[in-house]
Amino acid sequence: MPKKNAKAQKTNELDGAEFFAAINLIEKEKGIPKAYMLEKITQALVTAYKRDHEGAGDNVTVEADEEKGTVRMFVKKDVVEEVDNPCTEMSLEMARDKLPQAQLGDVIRIEVRTRDFGRIAAQTARQVIIQGMREAERGMIYDEFSSKEHELLTGVITRIDPRSGGVSLRIGSGNEATEAFLAPGEQVKGEEYVEGMRLRVYVVEVRRSTKGPQVLISRTHPGLVKRLFELEVPEIYDGTVEVKSIAREAGSRTKLAVWSADPDVDAIGACVGPRGQRVNNIVNELKGEKVDIIKWSEDPAQYIAAALSPADVVSVDIHEEGKSCRVVVPDDQLSLAIGKEGQNARLAAKLTGWKIDIKPASAPADEAPEDEDDVILDDGDEIIADEAEGGDAPAADTEE
C-alpha cells in the first residue's frame, strides 16, 4: 500500500530530469538559449504561486539544478510571535516543527513540495515554454533581420492581395524566415508580380511588433540601385569607386554620381563594364529602368553640368547663397536638358542638391528666371517647366 501511494505521489512531481531534457531539446532544435527559457519558466512559477497565495511577495524563489536534475521552490518566512501574514510569517511553534533550533527573528526557508504544486507548475511551465519559444523566435528573427537593414534580400512571393495590390514575401529560410510586406506605394509602377516569383527587395526598416518582427521592404528606394551596383561592380564593393549620390524615379530613370580617388581608375567605365554588361544587368533587374552614370566633382559647376547629361551645357553660374545656379544650354538642347515632364532637370536637382535655373543661350543675359523658356527646379520641386521646344529627351545610360 505505501508503495502505491509513493507511486501516486510521484506522478504529481515535476520531473526535473524530463524538464531539463525538454529545455535542452528546445535549445538544440530552435536555437533558444537554455538560460533564457529557465529564467522565463522560474518567473512564471513564482507568479503562479503568488496568484494562488495572496500576500506572498519577494519571499518566493525557484531553484533549478541541472546537475542534480531538480526543480525546487522555496518560501522564506520570518519567525514572529504573532502572525499577521501567513504567506510571509510563521509562529515560533510552527517554525520549531520544521527546525527545532529556530528562534524568534530567524528566517526559515520552507520548500513547496511539487506534489502540492505540481499541477499548477506543470501547466505554467508548459504555457511559458510555448510562449517563451514564440518570443525567443521572434527576438532571434528580429536580431537577424535588423542587422540587414539597408541591405538587398531575395524573397518568394507567397500572396498578392487582390484588393490593395499589396504583396507578401517569404524572406529567409528555416527558423529564421519571416513574412515581409511590399506595400503598393513601394512597388514600381508597371512591374507585374505572381505567386512563387523570386523578387529582390531593399530592406528599409525592421520594427518590433506583437506579432513578430515587421520587415518594411521596397522596390522603389534609391538604396536598391546602390546595392545592385555593389553586387555587379567589384570596384564599388571594395571601395575603389564610391557612389556619391543617387536620384531615382522608380521604373523610369535613375541618375548615379560616382567618383574614385585613384586617378588610374575610370569610375564610370567600371560601372558600365565591358560592352555595358554590368549596367545592362542592373537595367534588366530594374525591368528596363534607364540609368545615367555621371562623374561626381568637387566643383559644383562641373558636377551640375554632368548631372544634366545627356544635354550639353554652355555655362553654369553658381550662386552660393541659397545654393542655386543658372545653367545655360544651347537652344536645341533645352528640351533635352529639361527632359520629359521636367524629369531630367528634376533628377539633376535631386542628385546635386542645388536649385537649377535652366535657360537657352539665346535668352538675354539679364533675363529673369521666370521667363517662359526657363525651368527652375530644386530637389523638392514637382515640375516647373514650359517645354516650348516640346519633345521627349532621349535616354542616355552613361556620361563619359
Side-chain angles (χ1 to χ4, degrees), residues 115-162:
R115 63 173 175 266
D116 302 323
F117 193 60
R119 182 178 61 82
I120 299 174
Q123 289 177 348
T124 303
R126 180 176 179 275
Q127 292 170 359
V128 172
I129 286 174
I130 293 172
Q131 183 63 27
M133 284 171 58
R134 289 173 182 165
E135 290 180 0
E137 284 178 348
R138 290 169 181 169
M140 290 167 62
I141 293 171
Y142 174 81
D143 292 340
E144 170 70 17
F145 284 98
S146 62
S147 66
K148 294 179 179 177
E149 280 189 355
H150 314 307
E151 295 295 334
L152 202 61
L153 297 179
T154 300
V156 177
I157 297 176
T158 57
R159 182 177 179 274
I160 301 173
D161 191 323

Side-chain angles (χ1 to χ4, degrees), residues 49-60:
Y49 180 87
K50 290 179 181 179
R51 185 181 62 236
D52 293 342
H53 297 78
E54 188 176 353
D58 296 334
N59 60 321
V60 184

Side-chain angles (χ1 to χ4, degrees), residues 154-205:
T154 300
V156 177
I157 297 176
T158 57
R159 182 177 179 274
I160 301 173
D161 191 323
R163 291 179 297 178
S164 68
V167 176
S168 297
L169 289 91
R170 182 89 172 156
I171 297 179
S173 60
N175 295 329
E176 294 181 348
T178 190
E179 290 288 326
F181 183 69
L182 184 63
E186 297 297 332
Q187 299 174 18
V188 176
K189 188 179 294 185
E191 282 191 350
E192 294 184 3
Y193 307 112
V194 294
E195 291 185 11
M197 174 181 174
R198 294 178 67 83
L199 191 67
R200 275 179 171 170
V201 293
Y202 180 79
V203 180
V204 179
E205 185 182 358

Side-chain angles (χ1 to χ4, degrees), residues 354-387:
W354 285 75
K355 295 180 181 179
I356 301 176
D357 166 18
I358 302 175
K359 71 171 187 175
S362 60
D366 59 348
E367 190 176 78
E370 289 81 3
D371 283 351
E372 287 185 348
D373 289 339
D374 291 357
V375 55
I376 305 175
L377 290 175
D378 63 28
D379 57 359
D381 282 331
E382 289 296 321
I383 174 173
I384 308 173
D386 179 5
E387 297 188 58

